[in-house]
Structures are given as C-alpha cells and as structure tokens.
Amino acid sequence: MYDIAIYLYMLGVAVASLFDKKVRKMWRGEREAFAVLKRKVDPAARYVWFHAASLGEFEQGRPLIEQLRREHPELKVLLTFFSPSGYEVRKDYPGADIVCYLPLDTRLNAIRFLRLVRPVTAFFIKYEFWYNYLHILKHRGIPVYSVSSIFRPGQVFFRRYARSYAKVLRCITRFYVQNEVSRDLLASIGITDVTVTGDTRFDRVLQIKEQSKSLPIVEAFADGARVFVAGSSWPPDGDAFLPYFGEHGEWKLIIAPHEIGEDHLRQIEHRIGRKAVRYTKTTPEEARQADCLIIDCFGLLSSAYRYGHVAYVGGGFGVGIHNVLEAAVWGMPVIFGPNNKHFQEAQGLMAAGGGFEVASASDFRNLMLSLSANSDKLREAGQKAAGYVASCTGATAKILADIKL
C-alpha cells in the first residue's frame, strides 16, 4: 500500500513539475542524485549520512554535523534533502563532503542509493521516517538515529488503523527526542530505545549568535533608539503590529518579511505611514534618519535581531510560527500569533515569561504599551527569554556522547 502511494506521488510530482518551478527543481534533483553520487562517492571512505527534509531540519542537524567533523575528521559526511528550500540554500554547505537530493522512497531507489553510499551510520532529523530506506538500513545492520524528534498523540503512528505502518519506527536504532511526552508515546507502542535529550536547535541558535555579523546599516538605523524587530512576517502578522507603529513614533521598526516580492514591500511601505527605507537601497546615513528599515534580502535576520529590544516572529496567524529561538537568544521578549500550540519552544518561552501571544491588533497594542511603560518589565522578560534558551542547550553533546562511531 505504501509503495503504491509513493508511485502515485511520483506521478503527481512529475505532472506538477510541468507547471511549478520549485517542484521542477525537486523532480530534477531527485533524478540527478544517483549521477551525483556515482561521481562523488569515494568507495574507500566511511560515510555518515544525515537526512533533513528542509532548511529547518538542516539547522537542527547542523550542530551534530559540525561537532562530529571535529571529533571524527576521518569520516566523510553525506547530506541529503527532500525539499528545494533546503537543498537550494545549502547545496554548497562546506560541512558536508556531498550534498544532494534524496531519491523518492521506492524499494529500488533505496537499494541503489545504499549500494552506492554504504554509510556506516545514518541520522534522520526530526520527522523523517522513510519506510523503504529505513527497512533496508536495518536489514543491513546500519545504525540509524532519529534526532530532535518529537511526537504527539494525534500522529498516525499512534492510531489503531496505522499500527502496521508504525512498525517503521522499529527500524530506528535509538530515538533522541525533545521531551518526555514523546518518550511516553513511543513506550505506548513498545518502543523503548529512547533518550530525552532536548532540541539541538537551542545549540544551533547559540552558534548563530556567536557567528553573527555586524550590520553597519542596521547599526546606524538603531543608533540608540528603541528598536522592534519583526522577523519572517506575513501580511496577517502586519495586521497585528503595523497599526501600533503608525501611532507610536518612540519605536523604530525593522521588518524582515517572509516574502520579499515587490508588491509586498510596497504594501509595507504604504501601511507603515512613516519614513521607510529598504536595506539594499539605502546607506547608513539615510537609514539613521528613517523610522522603518525593511530587510529586502535573505540571510540577515538572525544578525538583525541583535539590534532589537522586542521581537515579533511571524507565521502565528497562518500555518505556524517561524523560529522564535533566533530572537530569544539575544535576550529580548518575543511576541507571536496564536497558532503556536504545537511549537514546544514557543510554549516554553511563554511558560518562562519571555514569550507573549497576541491574537489581534488590540492585544498587540496593549502588550506593547505595557512593555514600553515599564523598563524593568521589558528587561526582565528579555532576561527570561535568554535564560530559557540557555537552560535548554546541550542536546548535541548528549547525543554524540551516547553514540559510538
């Protein structure tokens, strides 16, 4: 049944690739993966294989990759992606010896892939459970680790009708899960090779902070003012926070929208009602005189957070919030929309007193008025945010200390 579903999916992807550029990149990349492997795999080398669905999962796996390279320079790293949003951004990642797409999960693809690579160990990040690859890895006696994985009661593995599919989880040598709930759920279906280590993303955001770069334009823009940073924002997020900044000139606003199309950028400029400049089209002198700085390029948000006093992370009025930890690590309160219930880090931030949920422009206004009027409250919330991140680090070291390579 699973194999039939995969072949039907392949057919759908092939058709969709005719009309969608992103799907076409994925389709082409998966078909070219075997040629890449034939060209680049060193038959005499020992490979550790990391698989990440997309960019977010890669960021979770990255601390493991880099620590493993430091501890075991004799090993080579193969990094595979499922999504173009991961591969296209990290295809030149220097921490891996080979980066490519993972061919779709047919039995023939899995056999061919593993014959070419012959990994000594495999790491699957968070949610990745590829049925055929995992069964063949187990058959060949290759250890497989699921890292930073998290499970919830509603997932398919814990439903009666899917118990046969849940057997794929028994192909995992050991799970390194984010929380106790995940361990208990796995125990309920007889899986006990589980260790609670937390989420490697906390280690990653500390790395990002340490590696952050100075941004002269943003520094000139901030210039001693109170700065609010809105990261990965969508139009519904703007509905919540933009009205406030149109009325309160004591705050400067940095916006790094999730999408940087021209229409969306013009919409932000129109709605803010104050002097706005775009990062790629301004100078430090011009930025210093502006009220709003729009980051109209990718790759700067994690460094831009360092100049903020309060952050808003987008996505909470849509499918779910983006990375709140990149903001919290800088020691400032983090605000987000209501769709955050399945995001453990957001729940943890709120419990610690460093995160705040808003469901409307009115909620946002009341919260900002409260934080603006009380410097001690603002500072304390920021300290709690940073403290929460610091208290959850260490997953990378725990995992690698437990694994023998």
Side-chain angles (χ1 to χ4, degrees):
M1 196 68 178
Y2 176 84
D3 288 336
I4 293 173
I6 288 293
Y7 281 108
L8 289 174
Y9 176 79
M10 287 175 64
L11 178 61
V13 170
V15 174
S17 69
L18 300 174
F19 308 99
D20 187 289
K21 183 179 179 180
K22 181 178 178 181
V23 176
R24 187 158 55 251
K25 285 182 178 180
M26 181 180 72
W27 179 242
R28 184 183 299 120
E30 288 172 355
R31 287 184 298 162
E32 293 174 350
F34 289 117
V36 171
L37 293 171
K38 283 182 179 179
R39 187 170 66 252
K40 293 188 175 183
V41 167
D42 178 356
R46 300 173 67 227
Y47 284 90
V48 178
W49 172 26
F50 286 85
H51 177 64
S54 191
L55 188 59
E57 288 79 12
F58 164 75
E59 290 297 328
Q60 284 179 291
R62 185 169 178 168
L64 287 165
I65 295 172
E66 295 178 358
Q67 185 63 31
L68 182 141
R69 294 302 295 257
R70 287 191 289 270
E71 294 181 4
H72 296 278
E74 75 280 6
L75 298 174
K76 289 186 178 291
V77 171
L78 165 67
L79 172 63
T80 60
F81 288 100
F82 173 70
S83 168
S85 60
Y87 175 79
E88 295 299 330
V89 176
R90 295 302 180 195
K91 59 187 176 184
D92 297 318
Y93 171 58
D97 297 282
I98 304 173
V99 183
C100 66
Y101 282 94
L102 182 61
L104 282 174
D105 191 24
T106 67
R107 182 172 176 78
L108 289 177
N109 277 350
I111 291 171
R112 188 180 177 193
F113 179 92
L114 292 170
R115 280 177 179 169
L116 279 169
V117 179
R118 300 184 182 278
V120 295
T121 303
F123 291 85
F124 281 59
I125 313 300
K126 197 174 182 179
Y127 292 132
E128 291 298 276
F129 303 107
W130 291 53
Y131 189 91
N132 286 310
Y133 281 97
L134 288 173
H135 275 88
I136 296 170
L137 283 164
K138 182 179 181 180
H139 177 73
R140 295 188 175 198
I142 299 169
V144 183
Y145 303 104
S146 176
V147 299
S148 291
S149 43
I150 187 167
F151 295 91
R152 301 182 184 89
Q155 286 175 303
V156 65
F157 307 113
F158 311 107
R159 297 185 181 276
R160 287 181 180 274
Y161 65 81
R163 287 297 170 88
S164 60
Y165 176 69
K167 291 178 182 177
V168 69
L169 300 180
R170 298 185 182 278
C171 296
I172 303 292
T173 306
R174 190 160 197 85
F175 289 86
Y176 295 96
V177 298
Q178 294 188 30
N179 56 28
E180 301 284 348
V181 172
S182 297
R183 179 169 64 183
D184 293 344
L185 283 168
L186 290 170
S188 74
I189 57 173
I191 295 174
T192 56
D193 290 323
V194 183
T195 303
V196 180
T197 54
D199 190 346
T200 51
R201 277 183 301 176
F202 289 90
D203 300 330
R204 177 59 188 148
V205 294
L206 280 182
Q207 286 182 344
I208 291 172
K209 181 182 179 183
E210 291 167 0
Q211 297 166 3
S212 68
K213 50 193 175 186
S214 176
L215 303 174
I217 288 174
V218 183
E219 189 170 338
F221 172 80
D223 196 24
R226 273 188 166 182
V227 177
F228 181 92
V229 184
S232 302
S233 66
W234 296 82
D237 298 302
D239 293 340
F241 68 77
L242 283 175
Y244 179 85
F245 294 102
E247 301 170 0
H248 295 79
E250 70 273 19
W251 284 88
K252 284 194 166 189
L253 174 63
I254 296 173
I255 303 178
H258 186 75
E259 295 181 344
I260 55 174
E262 182 63 25
D263 289 345
H264 186 38
L265 296 178
R266 287 181 178 177
Q267 182 186 59
I268 292 172
E269 291 168 340
H270 174 74
R271 294 190 65 186
I272 188 62
R274 297 166 63 188
K275 184 177 180 181
V277 294
R278 301 186 189 183
Y279 183 87
T280 63
K281 297 181 178 180
T282 193
T283 64
E285 292 72 24
E286 292 174 343
R288 187 175 286 109
Q289 305 303 316
D291 300 309
C292 176
L293 176 63
I294 302 172
I295 308 294
D296 57 342
C297 56
F298 295 117
L300 300 182
L301 177 58
S302 59
S303 294
Y305 278 131
R306 71 186 294 177
Y307 300 99
H309 298 88
V310 179
Y312 179 95
V313 175
F317 287 91
V319 296
I321 55 173
H322 296 283
N323 192 342
V324 297
L325 300 179
E326 284 188 349
V329 72
W330 289 103
M332 58 182 163
V334 183
I335 305 170
F336 36 80
N339 190 0
N340 60 71
K341 304 302 184 291
H342 294 309
F343 295 82
Q344 180 175 272
E345 63 278 12
Q347 297 294 304
L349 266 179
M350 287 194 287
F356 301 88
E357 176 188 309
V358 295
S360 65
S362 177
D363 283 354
F364 182 86
R365 179 179 183 276
N366 292 336
L367 174 59
M368 283 300 295
L369 287 174
S370 175
L371 293 173
S372 298
N374 190 331
S375 296
D376 290 338
K377 180 179 180 179
L378 178 62
R379 182 173 58 255
E380 183 179 348
Q383 290 171 347
K384 289 178 177 178
Y388 169 68
V389 175
S391 70
C392 295
T393 57
T396 301
K398 292 175 186 175
I399 294 168
L400 290 180
D402 195 53
I403 292 173
K404 308 303 179 192
L405 294 170

